[in-house]
Amino acid sequence: MVPFIYDPIYSDLDLPERHRYPIHKYKKLYQWALDHGASAGQFLRPTPLTWSQVKAVHSADYVRKLRNNEFDKREWRKVGFPWSKQLLTRTLTSAGGTFATVKTALDKRIAIHFSGGYHHAHYDWGSGFCLINDLAISAIMATKAQPNLKILIFDTDVHQGDGTATLLREHENIFTCSIHGERNFPFTKVDSDLDVALPKGTTDGAYLDAVKHTLHKVTNDFKPDLILYDAGVDIYRRDDLGHLDVSIEGIFARDHFVIDYAKRNNISLAAVIGGGYQRNLSRLILAHAQLLRASHQVWDV
């Protein structure tokens, strides 16, 4: 069965009432998986990253300020979270979960992380609920361990993976690809190795055509050994921050295509659930659950 990576700390963060970030979605997705047939043996608990591992990718000065709560108010507003030791522990654990997902996928050919996708974290600043960039850290650590490994970061979150792009510019064995909303956050875009910007209101057909064409092109040109897939569901038409018009069926079709494509082409797949912003948590969990449904149909049946 498909390996899942999860830790209860993902939803263990005290936030102000009505905070925009849906912190409880992780434990609810975990419960959804159990309620729909997942076994306890599918779940692996990650080892948190160390600060030394983080400093191999992010600025040492930035890490020091983060650890000691030395950001000013403007910097914390940009991040979107209040500082706490709980936040730091959760951040390290979630990033460790993405690295565990990459390692597991390289061994088992597929793994899914019930968190991850913090793609707005840059070398020396955080943004958009992202403090450290788990995608970039995991890809760099994996390629250091296996120098000939080629990783495609295939980011389909509705928001451009700007931090991932800037952190990985000099890494030839890591290819960054972002399919995102053209006029959505971050409002100042940077250059990924390949960017596909979609207009507001893009519907299922055009969206899926873009995903399929892009994945075919990149894998044919770059020939990755691993796809690190950010399966954000803020593309959903009911998402509060998305601005696209993709249905639940469209989310499932996207996830099924990516997983099936990787399997048929013998490319390992490590998936993170990425973004999704709805106050209606039941609807949000259903959107994220399409990744689990698709993986089950491709791998477990």
Side-chain angles (χ1 to χ4, degrees), residues 16 29 56 78 88 97 109 114-115 117 127 133 157 184 198 238 246 248 268 281 292:
L29 182 62
K78 198 166 189 175
L88 300 184
R109 293 189 59 200
F114 280 42
S115 181
S127 177
N133 195 307
D157 191 283
N184 206 323
L198 300 174
R238 305 296 293 273
V246 178
I248 281 285
S268 296
L281 279 184
L292 311 185

Side-chain angles (χ1 to χ4, degrees), residues 50 55 75 102 137 155 165 202 206-207 235-236 243 265 282 285:
T50 66
K55 285 190 288 186
E75 289 172 306
V102 167
I137 293 171
D155 190 340
T202 295
Y207 181 80
I235 63 168
Y236 184 30
H243 307 319
N265 288 278
S282 295
I285 298 313

Side-chain angles (χ1 to χ4, degrees), residues 89-166:
T89 304
R90 180 193 179 277
T91 297
L92 291 173
T93 306
S94 181
T98 297
F99 184 51
T101 306
V102 167
K103 291 191 296 182
T104 303
L106 288 170
D107 182 42
K108 305 292 186 183
R109 293 189 59 200
I110 187 171
I112 294 176
H113 188 200
F114 280 42
S115 181
Y118 295 98
H119 57 179
H120 300 309
H122 292 253
Y123 175 67
D124 56 2
W125 51 281
S127 177
F129 308 128
C130 303
L131 287 164
I132 63 176
N133 195 307
D134 60 306
L135 301 173
I137 293 171
S138 297
I140 289 172
M141 289 173 63
T143 53
K144 282 184 177 180
Q146 300 182 48
N148 293 324
L149 185 70
K150 297 179 71 175
I151 296 178
L152 164 63
I153 297 182
F154 192 63
D155 190 340
T156 63
D157 191 283
V158 81
H159 306 108
Q160 192 208 27
D162 57 334
T164 310
T166 61

